[in-house]
Amino acid sequence: MKMSQNTPDKDDQSSTNKKAISLPISRVRLIMKSSPDVSCINQDAVFLTTKATELFVQHLAVASFNNGPGKETNSLSYTDLATTAEEMDTFHFLTDILPKKILARDYLQSLEQMQEEDNDDDDSADF
Amino acid sequence: MAERPEDLNLPNAVITRIIKEALPDGVNVSKEARRAISQAASVFVLYATSCANNFAMKAKRKTLNAGDVLAAMEEMEFERFLEPLREALEVYKKGKKEVSEQKRKDKEKKADSENDKSREEEEEEEEERMEEEPEAENDAEEEEEDEVEN
């Protein structure tokens, strides 16, 4: 009887604490539903995915920080993340959205080299 | 459904907070890095969903369930998440039960005396309600089924 005197507002708050997740479940469900072939998703499955995403964010941040040169500079940069995506197997699926940055100069140079190799194999061998 | 591409992003403020809590105090995380982690998180959700859906399809089920998500984590080589996930799910299920009982009591109470003030507050938190209500309904249905079985 004591519990029922709480306002609905307070109930929502206490339930958020119990769930111990900070990302919005509704948004995660939306992303999940945007995946093709997915029709129905169990509420527990959405919750687990939300929690897993939080663990993933922590893991990616910590792994990149420990892996990169960030400890000396006390910072985490895009390059650290891209390096982690490339070097650690579990993060390999991120290489498409975390491409390593290269200078336009280097890119053009490698492009030129590739073209030369295509046009004339002997010349590029001399080069 | 997702109408704008932004709808598939996760809220930056929350992502930033999770990163800050995971790293030692005072670490500077560049804006670019934060954005990249946020995008990576969205891709993670899609990847996990796709893996989990494969497990559901293999078992000829249409609905993704908790077991599928856990199996997906294993497949993705995120075994380290399994234990914390199982623990969190247990707490969540326990909390859900209490909340649904609480809601039922509230409903009964509301039926007794129309509480206009709390209704206004609820309208302000429409997004939260959208999250909570399906759970409550599901629970109510489950409980009704249980009663019939018993």
Side-chain angles (χ1 to χ4, degrees):
Chain A
M1 260 333 263
K2 227 190 268 171
M3 295 288 276
S4 64
Q5 299 192 344
N6 284 339
T7 64
D9 241 322
K10 274 180 190 160
D11 291 345
D12 282 347
Q13 251 170 16
S14 67
S15 71
T16 320
N17 289 340
K18 269 176 214 149
K19 273 184 224 160
I21 50 170
S22 23
L23 285 171
I25 286 199
S26 56
R27 179 60 58 96
V28 173
R29 190 197 287 115
L30 196 72
I31 300 173
M32 292 176 85
K33 287 233 171 180
S34 76
S35 173
D37 306 326
V38 172
S39 41
C40 300
I41 307 162
N42 176 302
Q43 189 72 34
D44 290 348
V46 181
F47 168 79
L48 276 185
T49 308
T50 308
K51 182 73 190 169
T53 308
E54 286 185 14
L55 295 170
F56 168 78
V57 168
Q58 288 169 3
H59 184 40
L60 175 61
V62 171
S64 303
F65 181 71
N66 291 336
N67 193 29
K71 270 187 213 155
E72 283 106 67
T73 55
N74 220 19
S75 64
L76 181 65
S77 69
Y78 176 90
T79 314
D80 300 336
L81 296 167
T83 308
T84 304
E86 201 179 61
E87 287 176 0
M88 289 178 73
D89 279 347
T90 47
F91 292 122
H92 230 83
F93 69 97
L94 296 173
T95 42
D96 281 347
I97 62 144
L98 280 170
K100 273 210 129 170
K101 283 191 182 173
I102 61 167
L103 289 172
R105 192 179 56 216
D106 296 342
Y107 175 70
L108 290 172
Q109 208 174 15
S110 72
L111 209 66
E112 259 170 42
Q113 265 174 14
M114 269 162 65
Q115 270 168 355
E116 272 171 26
E117 276 165 30
D118 280 350
N119 290 343
D120 199 337
D121 278 323
D122 294 339
D123 270 3
S124 64
D126 289 336
F127 205 65
Chain B
M1 268 334 295
E3 275 155 15
R4 297 162 301 159
E6 308 89 272
D7 288 345
L8 299 183
N9 291 344
L10 293 160
N12 276 322
V14 183
I15 294 286
T16 304
R17 198 173 65 221
I18 298 172
I19 300 170
K20 282 254 148 103
E21 281 168 6
L23 294 175
D25 277 346
V27 173
N28 179 42
V29 184
S30 76
K31 204 177 170 190
E32 207 181 8
R34 276 182 274 150
R35 223 190 57 158
I37 293 180
S38 180
Q39 284 173 342
S42 287
V43 171
F44 172 83
V45 174
L46 287 171
Y47 182 29
T49 307
S50 157
C51 278
N53 198 46
N54 282 344
F55 283 107
M57 286 199 314
K58 252 185 239 162
K60 301 216 160 83
R61 275 183 285 102
K62 278 195 175 162
T63 307
L64 280 192
N65 65 28
D68 296 328
V69 176
L70 292 174
M73 289 302 126
E74 234 169 308
E75 171 126 327
M76 292 160 78
E77 287 173 47
F78 286 116
E79 291 96 346
R80 55 166 66 220
F81 295 169
L82 288 177
E83 245 341 275
L85 284 179
R86 283 198 189 104
E87 280 166 25
L89 183 64
E90 218 160 284
V91 175
Y92 171 68
K93 277 182 169 172
K94 227 165 126 192
K96 222 166 76 168
K97 219 174 187 176
E98 279 167 31
V99 168
S100 75
E101 274 164 20
Q102 188 67 54
K103 291 236 156 145
R104 208 171 43 203
K105 279 181 194 167
D106 282 343
K107 254 183 213 164
E108 282 166 13
K109 209 194 168 199
K110 235 181 256 170
D112 290 345
S113 59
E114 289 283 318
N115 197 338
D116 289 336
K117 198 184 153 218
S118 68
R119 193 170 290 169
E120 272 168 33
E121 281 168 359
E122 269 179 21
E123 269 164 24
E124 278 169 18
E125 285 166 22
E126 216 175 280
E127 209 184 327
E128 272 186 49
R129 266 207 310 165
M130 277 162 61
E131 277 178 40
E132 301 296 338
E133 271 194 350
E135 295 171 22
E137 279 167 19
N138 286 345
D139 271 5
E141 274 165 29
E142 278 166 26
E143 276 160 22
E144 271 166 29
E145 278 168 23
D146 285 349
E147 278 164 20
V148 171
E149 278 168 21
N150 292 339

